[in-house]
Amino acid sequence: MKISRVKDTKINSIDFENLVFGKTFTDHMFYCHYRDGKWQTPEIKPYQPLTLDPSASVLHYGQAVFEGMKAFKDTDGKLWLFRPQDNFNRINLSAKRLQIPEFPESYFFEGMKSLLKLDQDWVQSGTGNSLYVRPFVFASQPSVQASASMEYIFMIICAPVKSYYTGGEINVLIAEEYSRAANGGVGFAKAAGNYAAQFYPTSEALKKGFQQIIWTDASNHEYLEEAGTMNIFFKIKGTLVTSPTNDRILDGITRKSIISLAKQDGIPVEERPIKVSEIKEAHENGTLEEIFGTGTAVVVLPIHSFSHQNESYRLPKETPIALQLKEKLVGIQYNTGEDPFNWRQAVD
Ligand SMILES: *Cc1c(COP(=O)(O)O)cnc(C)c1O
């Protein structure tokens, strides 16, 4: 790997107390080109704009996938990743679905760890502070031919972030018209276009005063599937229920971690399809106790109300299970708690 460092760091100009999620990036980036049928020697270089041919395939056909993960710094200044092998496996699973060549495991881990060590001062310690790590790959071949590109660029960029806590209530709208994913489609992949397609329905929901859309199945809008770009959990009569993963649902690493932690705490968990009518009935008879979303950016996000067919349903203010599970997960991430499943991985 070739490493070229910045002459001067820009870290001193950063206001770490007032970071806007995903807008500030560190000094360096990881870059690797695929051409002539193979991944070329990777590089770490100063964070900078790219030069792309206007016909670059990704700009026309959206052949691109990404990952979202975080690096944490403990009170001794040591850096940690959380289940990074799962992110590596998932980006290649996403890539395969988009006909993008798999990225080598050693390049991914050596590249990411070198980058993190180089930019380690950008990771602030303290709960809530972390470095959001964004690996991504896109089709760079200059060609408007509608077929898989022969050239790709794999990159990793890093953004220091603060806790996602918004302070406000999270009120969600259950989708009755639009869909995020369909059978046989790319919902399970972190494919760039999945997110572009959510922006319009989500902005319509925002205008109506909702913070998120709960996506339902594309056939009948009968089953609850995901909350925006999070997986979703319901606590009904003491049991946590979440949708099983399939080709429409993203296999979230936070989701499966929450399931393991809940089981360890003796909380019953069911992975099964959940009908909209079921949670409305549970609300009616007082057994719907909590709803929360899970994902790397938010970890666990309690939801305060949902709306369906122009009716709004409020949830109890207290969300003890969401908070209990979040605290456990965060303790593992920041190396302050036990790590019974060996999820933490040191960056060294
Ligand atoms: C990334 C993502 C999630 C959460 O996955 P994590 O691995 O927990 O970050 C859930 N749903 C969608 C649609 C996503 O893109």
Side-chain angles (χ1 to χ4, degrees), residues 174-236:
I174 296 179
E176 291 170 58
E177 182 185 357
Y178 297 104
S179 302
R180 192 190 90 84
N183 291 336
V186 296
F188 70 90
K190 279 183 120 67
N194 283 346
Y195 304 83
Q198 286 185 216
F199 297 158
Y200 174 72
T202 303
S203 72
E204 292 295 294
L206 285 173
K207 278 186 215 155
K208 294 183 194 153
F210 300 102
Q211 284 71 41
Q212 287 286 356
I213 294 185
I214 306 297
W215 299 105
T216 49
D217 67 284
S219 319
N220 301 311
H221 300 290
E222 210 179 332
Y223 292 93
L224 296 151
E225 303 208 318
E226 295 214 54
T229 56
M230 298 179 288
N231 294 110
I232 190 163
F233 285 79
F234 303 88
K235 184 161 158 271
I236 304 171

Side-chain angles (χ1 to χ4, degrees), residues 19-56:
L19 292 166
V20 179
F21 187 91
K23 290 219 169 168
T24 302
F25 294 92
T26 62
D27 285 328
H28 299 92
M29 62 189 200
F30 173 87
Y31 181 96
C32 190
H33 202 161
Y34 180 94
R35 83 173 102 77
D36 305 327
K38 67 176 206 290
W39 290 102
Q40 307 291 315
T41 305
E43 286 175 68
I44 288 178
K45 51 189 182 181
Y47 188 94
Q48 60 191 278
L50 300 169
T51 304
L52 275 187
D53 194 282
S55 71

Side-chain angles (χ1 to χ4, degrees), residues 123-197:
V123 197
Q124 307 275 295
S125 61
T127 300
N129 298 324
S130 63
L131 192 69
Y132 184 77
V133 180
R134 166 56 62 93
F136 59 107
V137 51
F138 61 91
S140 57
Q141 186 184 17
S143 163
V144 294
Q145 214 178 60
S147 59
S149 173
M150 304 293 277
E151 289 182 31
Y152 297 87
I153 294 172
F154 188 105
M155 298 188 66
I156 306 174
I157 55 175
C158 302
V161 295
K162 297 279 293 176
S163 157
Y164 211 81
Y165 181 70
T166 53
E169 282 203 356
I170 305 295
N171 303 306
V172 300
L173 177 65
I174 296 179
E176 291 170 58
E177 182 185 357
Y178 297 104
S179 302
R180 192 190 90 84
N183 291 336
V186 296
F188 70 90
K190 279 183 120 67
N194 283 346
Y195 304 83

Side-chain angles (χ1 to χ4, degrees), residues 66-68 87 90 180 187 189-190 195 198 226 228-231 250-255 294-297:
F66 68 94
E67 265 307 318
N87 295 97
R90 193 169 63 188
R180 192 190 90 84
K190 279 183 120 67
Y195 304 83
Q198 286 185 216
E226 295 214 54
T229 56
M230 298 179 288
N231 294 110
L250 204 291
D251 185 5
I253 296 160
T254 320
R255 173 189 177 278
T294 62
T296 295

Side-chain angles (χ1 to χ4, degrees), residues 294-348:
T294 62
T296 295
V298 294
V299 190
V300 173
L301 187 71
I303 288 168
H304 302 96
S305 82
F306 65 91
S307 182
H308 186 244
Q309 292 174 341
N310 292 321
E311 263 204 69
S312 178
Y313 303 81
R314 290 208 64 80
L315 290 150
K317 274 215 161 50
E318 305 298 317
T319 57
I321 293 300
L323 298 181
Q324 172 187 326
L325 295 171
K326 178 175 185 171
E327 202 165 303
K328 282 220 155 168
L329 191 60
V330 167
I332 296 172
Q333 292 176 329
Y334 287 87
N335 191 26
T336 57
E338 290 280 303
D339 181 19
F341 303 101
N342 283 317
W343 286 339
R344 238 176 355 233
Q345 197 181 107
V347 178
D348 48 23

